[in-house]
Amino acid sequence: MVERLTEQFLEDEALTDGLSDEDASELVGWLVGIVEDLEAESNGMPERYVSQLKRLGHELARIARQYAVPIEELIDLIETAWEEPGEGQSPKPMQA
């Protein structure tokens, strides 16, 4: 099933249009990784999220093209926003 869902990202030329090969590979790899994680967590139900992930990918590609921001930086920003509360926090808060 994951292979069929992955093909949807690979066949969507608009998803990577105008991106460098490196950025295109990074974006598609990240989206496929999310589908694989969803597959593992939800016992085979990630297909309902594919259209949302494709829209997210299109928006990331648009921002990357329009503002010359590397895809990797945009992905890092999204992953930071998606962190669970308490994850990734340093043990000691910064002090002035």
Side-chain angles (χ1 to χ4, degrees), residues 77-93:
L77 180 63
I78 289 173
E79 288 179 344
T80 299
W82 278 352
E83 285 181 358
E84 293 290 328
E87 271 187 28
Q89 294 180 352
S90 62
K92 290 186 174 180

Side-chain angles (χ1 to χ4, degrees), residues 6-20 24 27-28 54 57-58 61 65:
T6 298
E7 287 177 20
Q8 291 183 37
F9 295 119
L10 297 174
E11 292 173 354
D12 187 354
E13 292 181 21
L15 185 63
T16 58
D17 188 39
L19 297 178
S20 69
L27 179 59
V28 171
K54 285 175 76 172
H58 284 275
R65 286 188 303 267

Side-chain angles (χ1 to χ4, degrees), residues 52-67:
Q52 293 171 339
L53 289 171
K54 285 175 76 172
R55 279 196 310 260
L56 177 61
H58 284 275
E59 285 303 310
L60 287 175
R62 183 189 62 78
I63 292 168
R65 286 188 303 267
Q66 189 171 353
Y67 298 104

Side-chain angles (χ1 to χ4, degrees), residues 18-38:
L19 297 178
S20 69
D21 288 343
E22 182 180 322
D23 278 348
S25 177
E26 183 79 25
L27 179 59
V28 171
W30 181 67
L31 293 170
V32 168
I34 293 173
V35 169
E36 289 171 347
D37 289 347
L38 288 171

